Amino acid sequence: VIVLDQTKLPWRTSWLPLRTLDDAVAAIRDMRVRGAPLIGATAAYGVALALAEGIALDRACTALAAARPTAINLRWALDRMRAELAAGRDAFAAAAGICDDDVACNRAIGDHGLALLRQRAQPIRVLTHCNAGWLATVDGGTALAPIYAAHDAGLRVHVWVSETRPRGQGALTAWELAQHGVPHAFVADNACGHLIARGDVDVVIVGTDRTTARGDVANKIGTYLKALAARAHGVPFYVALPGSSIDWTLDDGAAIPIEERDGNEVSACAGAPVVPATTPVANPGFDVTPAALVTAFVTERGVCTPAQLKELFQR
Amino acid sequence: VIVLDQTKLPWRTSWLPLRTLDDAVAAIRDMRVRGAPLIGATAAYGVALALAEGIALDRACTALAAARPTAINLRWALDRMRAELAAGRDAFAAAAGICDDDVACNRAIGDHGLALLRQRAQPIRVLTHCNAGWLATVDGGTALAPIYAAHDAGLRVHVWVSETRPRGQGALTAWELAQHGVPHAFVADNACGHLIARGDVDVVIVGTDRTTARGDVANKIGTYLKALAARAHGVPFYVALPGSSIDWTLDDGAAIPIEERDGNEVSACAGAPVVPATTPVANPGFDVTPAALVTAFVTERGVCTPAQLKELFQR
């Protein structure tokens, strides 16, 4: 199993071999792979690697599930692996199946999102946060899938890419968009309210690490501020996600565990210190946007409001 | 005239002599001095230095006014210098008078803000943005004045300091608070919605670079997002300012010129590149928070709502 080490991007394309369960856990924990769908796919291969090492399934699942707490795709992938293994399927084939399904999912998300974007006047100015592109998935992306689909269909699209401090995943999005030839501009997270207020944003599209049954959306820290600004100015706020990002066991987003990450991510930026190491720091990794601020979800099954989410997935 | 070079903080205390008009213009433009009141005071001394060089008053005022477009204190200080010079006063004495008045102003702002904070249960958890402390003024600060006053009065205060990308003035605020012994934590700008949503913020206090007659508030980019989050959760949003930050010639905040700064402030952080130099970047320096989101202004004349601003200053 070979993954792209995202901590080296956009500066260097570095491939990282995963040979053991520990390799897979470390890759997820250290964010060498990141993005909810890709975390799920990596965890699936982590199970396969563990079994090849002779490690018990339960132990492997426990270690992988603990690697990152917020993205529900991690748990979803482990549950699916358990079910497929119980049905006698080969572990590596099962993991490959999860990857194939993710690609198909994202293609469908792109198609449904494209239909939404087609309704808008061009150029369509989209604001996104963090990276929910192909880097965050097996391929195709979630939030960026409609953008790629629109660009490929000849629509004029311009993307505002927010930096996404502290980890700076906006740099990954800018890198993806540049590779794909999609016009874009990189901005400080702080600029997003101003851009929306002055009428320079037509739609906001983000991904999610976990969405509850009623449609509360946990996503990278800072998403909620963009949702508030979008609502204040009547700009649609879309969340693109595969069904595997929905936590049907939760309704209230406040119950989603929010990962508190190492303070050194905040006290330094791109390796350079921004405050002395003695400065107290807090570093919540995610926030929750309530369903009331979500205009629609863009899923592999189509577009729906938060209230229609259960019906769309027939829960 | 000697100023503290704020671009070197919090790493180094470096004093910068201003000997000419050009020195003063460069110090303001390059943000070696920053903060609306301090920009005004520096501009006043810039006029005095220019006259000592034999440069015409009009030319000096034009050069200084162009150094930074958003902070209205710059224009206010130049207007006051013109008036004092017309009345035959010495230029350096007039500039010193502006400085003395700023210190007295900030003391009054601190006292009025303290009265507001006294009404709250302790610990009082304050969120602030950018730096509106003593570094941003001649002394005492605007947004931080009530915090210092509360801390000195023995109230338990905890300050959430947002990083304030792209320029990172949160590091200056953290440095000031540490020197004064005020408990605080430094967070990514993106974290502020989450902190407010989970009930960890009791009040937001910020400064302003220019507030219109009806109370629209231009302040460092990102302020507006905090105001939206505060409103969404019923958290008071206070703006601390001297009367010299009010632009009585404008009502609509949308008319305030927003400085577009160099993109390299966004594409690098603390000297380290975050995206390749080829990445397109936008960098608005300020945003406008509409008066409707302002709970109250804390001024040297007392506390008032936006609607009471004109009455308080008898305009």
Side-chain angles (χ1 to χ4, degrees), chain B residues 65-91:
Chain B
R68 295 206 54 200
T70 303
I72 192 68
N73 306 61
L74 182 49
R75 195 171 80 196
W76 170 89
L78 296 174
D79 287 348
R80 177 159 153 177
M81 287 297 288
R82 280 180 186 279
E84 301 227 16
L85 292 167
R89 203 158 170 217
D90 172 71

Side-chain angles (χ1 to χ4, degrees), chain A residues 10-11 129 160 163-166 168 170-171 174-175 184-195 197-198 221-226 228-229 232-233 258 260 266-277 279-284 286-288, chain B residues 10-11 129 160 163-166 168 170-171 174-175 184-195 197-198 221-226 228-229 232-233 258 260 266-277 279-284 286-288:
Chain A
W11 310 108
H129 186 56
W160 295 109
E163 178 180 16
T164 318
R165 276 279 284 152
W175 180 78
H184 62 281
F186 183 83
V187 295
D189 300 294
N190 279 324
C192 295
H194 178 69
L195 294 175
R198 76 179 182 191
I221 193 80
T223 302
Y224 176 46
L225 291 166
K226 281 143 190 93
L228 285 168
H233 296 277
I258 300 297
E260 181 72 26
V266 178
S267 55
C269 181
V274 296
V275 285
T279 304
V281 168
N283 185 18
F286 301 88
D287 60 23
V288 176
Chain B
W11 311 107
H129 186 55
W160 295 109
E163 179 179 15
T164 318
R165 277 281 282 154
W175 180 79
H184 62 281
F186 183 82
V187 295
D189 300 295
N190 279 323
C192 296
H194 178 69
L195 294 176
R198 75 178 184 192
I221 193 78
T223 302
Y224 176 45
L225 291 166
K226 282 144 189 92
L228 285 168
H233 296 277
I258 300 297
E260 181 73 25
V266 177
S267 55
C269 180
V274 297
V275 286
T279 303
V281 168
N283 186 17
F286 301 87
D287 60 22
V288 176

Side-chain angles (χ1 to χ4, degrees), chain B residues 202-222:
Chain B
D202 299 308
V203 297
V204 180
I205 312 180
V206 299
T208 174
D209 293 84
R210 186 187 308 207
T211 286
T212 68
R214 77 176 184 200
D216 291 349
V217 175
N219 192 42
K220 184 51 56 195
I221 193 78

Side-chain angles (χ1 to χ4, degrees), chain B residues 239-265:
Chain B
V239 178
L241 79 173
S244 55
S245 292
I246 305 170
D247 184 348
W248 298 107
T249 71
L250 291 182
D251 250 334
D252 185 354
I256 298 172
I258 300 297
E259 182 177 10
E260 181 73 25
R261 295 187 55 85
D262 196 315
N264 64 19
E265 294 182 350

Side-chain angles (χ1 to χ4, degrees), chain B residues 38 58 90 100 109 112 121 133 136 142 149 151 166 168 181 190 226 260 271 291:
Chain B
L38 185 60
D58 279 349
D90 172 71
D100 291 345
I109 289 170
H112 293 304
T142 54
H151 179 79
N190 279 323
K226 282 144 189 92
E260 181 73 25

Side-chain angles (χ1 to χ4, degrees), chain A residues 72 208-218 241 245-256 288-291 297 306 309-310:
Chain A
I72 192 68
T208 174
D209 294 84
R210 186 186 309 206
T211 286
T212 67
R214 76 177 185 199
D216 291 349
V217 175
L241 79 171
S245 293
I246 304 170
D247 184 348
W248 298 108
T249 71
L250 291 182
D251 251 332
D252 184 354
I256 297 173
V288 176
T289 297
F297 290 103
L309 203 54
K310 284 179 196 166

